[in-house]
Amino acid sequence: LGLTLAQQLLLACSTYFIARAGAALALGDIDRVLREISLFFGFALLAYVTSSAASLLSVRAANRIWHDYTQATLREATQSLQYASDSNRKSVAQWLGGEALSTIAHACDFHREMLSAGLNILFTLAVFHAVLGWEIAAAITGSLVVSFALVMRLRPRIEMLANAMQQRRLAALLAMEPTWSRAFFGSPEMRSQGLRALDAKVQRYFGALNRYVLLEQVIACGPIVLSTIALMGVLRVTELLTAAMAGALVALLPRSLQVFGNVHALSISLSQFFLVRAKLRNLDGFCARLEIFDLHQVSLHGISIQGPQRHWAPAELLEALRQNRLPRGRWTMSGANGAGKSTLLKRIKEMRVDALLLGPETGFLDTDNGLSTGQRR
């Protein structure tokens, strides 16, 4: 952000000198024109080098933030076996690799670009005021005030769409795996149903995204229209233009187009500010939305346990394990679906942190180790 500030100061200096070059050209002072153009190129070159350094640091910041966020989320989400469900595993994987990664990268670029656009407009307006007078600067400033008021009016709608986009995108990503399984290993009817269900979730996400983009462009184009009308009015109605001012204005026309582009970008950024803030809040609160399964509230009475020498009740087995007097040997646990067999295994794992629990959803090996599916299992 500091480099972005420096970049925009350097660009403002280059703008000032090209305006002075235009005024000197209108007066026929060629030596001064060459001097001012040399300063213009020098400051512009420094600005672009500074911009490249800012971009590099922004990427490095995004990488570090995502790394730290991933570590913190995994630590929080794996602190208790109450979170150890297959749906939580899939949600965390999709969230960290999808939404969190893209949101953090976007947020880093967004804050730098928003600052850049805002400072560009501010410093350019200061140059316009110094070179062309307050009337032209006031015309652009007024349009920005209108844009800001419009964004504040539409803020609740923007935040609602932000939440809808994140949740619908996650739902679409989570639907990928079951769609894959149905398409390959299900019946033709299951394949069609899976593809239709995925398409419906994707379309819901695109619907929220399209509504946001439409709202964003309405906000962004308004200031440009107002600024253009205001500037044309100022130039046509007032008696501002002298020869030197006309030369400076012509020299600043490319910069004026850039300012209009930045007004457009800043208007979008003002609307996206609330979007990004809502997404970052969702990152902070992700673990609080995970499923929590209380292992100690599940009845285990439907489970039958055969030990090395006799039958054991689940509560008896847990008590013997707690007192460290469980006999060694092979144990067999049986019970109907939903009786709590997986829950009992998780409670045993909870009591013995150095144990390994191998369940249907457990995978300790990387998928790129060269082993086949059967070999990994």
Side-chain angles (χ1 to χ4, degrees):
L1 295 179
L3 286 173
T4 299
L5 171 62
Q7 174 214 7
Q8 292 304 323
L9 282 171
L10 292 167
L11 281 178
C13 291
S14 70
T15 301
Y16 175 74
F17 286 115
I18 198 62
R20 287 171 58 92
L25 182 63
L27 298 175
D29 190 346
I30 302 301
D31 290 337
R32 183 182 159 197
V33 169
L34 294 176
R35 185 170 62 252
E36 305 291 3
I37 287 179
S38 298
L39 289 171
F40 160 77
F41 278 117
F43 279 103
L45 177 60
L46 290 174
Y48 285 114
V49 171
T50 306
S51 176
S52 295
S55 298
L56 176 62
L57 290 180
S58 179
V59 171
R60 293 178 63 182
N63 293 341
R64 180 59 183 269
I65 293 169
W66 181 78
H67 170 270
D68 292 346
Y69 176 77
T70 298
Q71 293 292 319
T73 301
L74 289 174
R75 279 195 296 268
E76 184 175 354
T78 58
Q79 64 181 341
S80 170
L81 283 166
Q82 292 180 330
Y83 294 104
S85 68
D86 194 46
S87 61
N88 281 347
R89 175 180 64 84
K90 293 177 181 178
S91 293
V92 170
Q94 293 288 358
W95 183 263
L96 293 178
E99 190 61 35
L101 183 61
S102 62
T103 295
I104 290 171
H106 176 222
C108 288
D109 285 339
F110 166 78
H111 285 93
R112 184 174 57 85
E113 291 169 2
M114 183 176 181
L115 178 65
S116 177
L119 291 176
N120 179 274
I121 295 169
L122 179 64
F123 293 154
T124 303
L125 289 178
V127 173
F128 279 21
H129 182 272
V131 176
L132 303 176
W134 66 269
E135 293 89 349
I136 292 178
I140 300 176
T141 303
S143 67
L144 287 175
V145 172
V146 172
S147 173
F148 181 76
L150 183 60
V151 170
M152 295 304 296
R153 177 71 177 82
L154 296 173
R155 172 183 171 182
R157 176 70 174 169
I158 294 170
E159 292 183 336
M160 182 188 71
L161 287 173
N163 291 327
M165 281 191 293
Q166 278 192 313
Q167 295 306 316
R168 292 178 183 182
R169 181 182 180 187
L170 180 60
L173 291 173
L174 290 174
M176 297 289 184
E177 185 176 334
T179 301
W180 174 274
S181 297
R182 291 173 185 172
F184 272 115
F185 309 118
S187 65
E189 182 180 358
M190 292 172 65
R191 174 188 174 92
S192 299
Q193 288 176 348
L195 292 173
R196 284 198 302 271
L198 175 61
D199 182 68
K201 292 180 179 180
V202 170
Q203 292 303 325
R204 289 189 71 229
Y205 165 65
F206 285 156
L209 179 62
N210 291 338
R211 286 193 295 274
Y212 171 75
V213 172
L214 175 62
L215 183 65
E216 182 182 71
Q217 293 305 316
V218 169
I219 294 172
C221 289
I224 304 298
V225 175
L226 292 176
S227 294
T228 303
I229 295 173
L231 283 174
M232 293 298 293
V234 168
L235 293 175
R236 297 280 298 220
V237 174
T238 61
E239 300 294 335
L240 291 176
L241 290 182
T242 62
M245 185 176 291
L249 180 60
V250 170
L252 288 175
L253 284 179
R255 185 68 169 186
S256 301
L257 291 176
Q258 185 182 22
V259 169
F260 282 160
N262 281 318
V263 169
H264 184 274
L266 185 61
S267 299
I268 292 177
S269 295
L270 289 173
S271 64
Q272 286 187 350
F273 175 78
F274 299 109
L275 174 76
V276 171
R277 193 173 69 166
K279 285 188 171 186
L280 292 176
R281 279 203 305 266
N282 289 338
L283 290 188
D284 286 337
F286 172 72
C287 287
R289 298 193 298 273
L290 292 174
E291 296 178 349
I292 297 179
F293 188 70
D294 193 341
L295 303 176
H296 300 274
Q297 295 298 319
V298 177
S299 173
L300 305 175
H301 297 302
I303 299 176
S304 175
I305 301 174
Q306 176 63 48
Q309 300 171 355
R310 63 182 179 88
H311 285 281
W312 293 65
E316 186 184 12
L317 181 144
L318 292 174
E319 181 61 27
L321 183 62
R322 185 176 296 107
Q323 296 181 10
N324 226 3
R325 57 179 180 81
L326 203 66
R328 292 180 177 274
R330 182 178 296 274
W331 296 72
T332 303
M333 177 175 23
S334 59
N337 290 338
K341 299 185 296 297
S342 297
T343 300
L344 177 57
L345 291 175
K346 290 177 181 178
R347 289 184 63 175
I348 294 173
K349 167 61 183 169
E350 189 177 48
M351 297 173 65
R352 287 290 183 268
V353 295
D354 58 342
L356 301 180
L357 174 54
L358 295 172
E361 71 275 12
T362 305
F364 291 125
L365 300 178
D366 294 331
T367 57
D368 58 353
N369 54 21
L371 300 178
S372 69
T373 302
Q375 287 172 327
R376 285 198 302 272
R377 288 178 177 172

